Amino acid sequence: MPKFAIPAADTLWWVGVHGGAGETTMSVLLPGTRAASHRWPIPPPPVPTPVILVARTHGSGLRAAQRAAIEWASGVVQGVAVLGLVLIADAPGRLPRVLDDFADIVGGGVPRVWDIPWIEEWRRGEGPTPDNTPDEVFEVLESIYALRASNPADYPAPY
């Protein structure tokens, strides 16, 4: 993925690993965070910027997440601390077994994985609001907020 310079590692970034991943939606739901427009936000050393990867659960979304995780883990992306991966359902219901198994494999390449269910209102183009956002989404956001509030130096960032 492309990279862009940021002035400091002072916020949490959502990095959508493919178009339509949901990074903008996540940034709306968690104020004080930013969407990176499908790019790696690279701060000046020495403090890494915290990043959450975002992908849909369809095959191409999971493959894009896998490529991003490999790119980060290889050390090619310096100055980024990937805290985890948010997988947003691409359809209602359970994932087919092959995709569920692949999601487990992809998730093994990042520190954490959070799942966001299918939300029909979002599909219809309604912006996320407290009324159309399930409690389990807020639980994910609370978990991410708590993780971000902890010491970001605890998370790996290859330099």
Side-chain angles (χ1 to χ4, degrees):
M1 288 190 304
K3 301 171 189 165
F4 72 105
I6 59 173
D10 59 356
T11 191
L12 174 71
W13 290 85
W14 302 97
V15 176
V17 298
H18 59 86
E23 67 183 335
T24 303
T25 298
M26 298 308 294
S27 71
V28 167
L29 286 168
L30 191 57
T33 64
R34 299 187 65 185
S37 300
H38 315 296
R39 304 171 296 162
W40 294 109
I42 309 297
V47 178
T49 195
V51 162
I52 305 280
L53 302 176
V54 184
R56 294 288 177 164
T57 56
H58 48 60
S60 60
L62 293 171
R63 283 189 298 277
Q66 184 181 45
R67 285 190 302 272
I70 289 169
E71 186 176 359
W72 167 70
S74 73
V76 172
V77 183
Q78 297 185 356
V80 170
V82 173
L83 304 182
L85 167 66
V86 168
L87 292 175
I88 301 177
D90 70 306
R94 292 180 52 91
L95 276 178
R97 183 175 187 98
V98 66
L99 291 176
D100 192 43
D101 290 347
F102 188 38
D104 288 343
I105 291 168
V106 172
V110 294
R112 284 167 196 77
V113 177
W114 298 274
D115 295 302
I116 300 290
W118 176 258
I119 301 169
E120 185 63 34
E121 293 84 355
W122 295 0
R123 180 177 193 238
R124 291 193 304 255
E126 295 177 29
T129 67
D131 292 335
N132 69 15
T133 302
D135 288 344
E136 60 193 289
V137 175
F138 290 113
E139 291 169 10
V140 166
L141 294 171
E142 287 172 10
S143 171
I144 291 169
Y145 181 80
L147 181 62
R148 174 61 183 109
S150 66
N151 184 358
D154 291 342
Y155 301 99
Y159 274 104

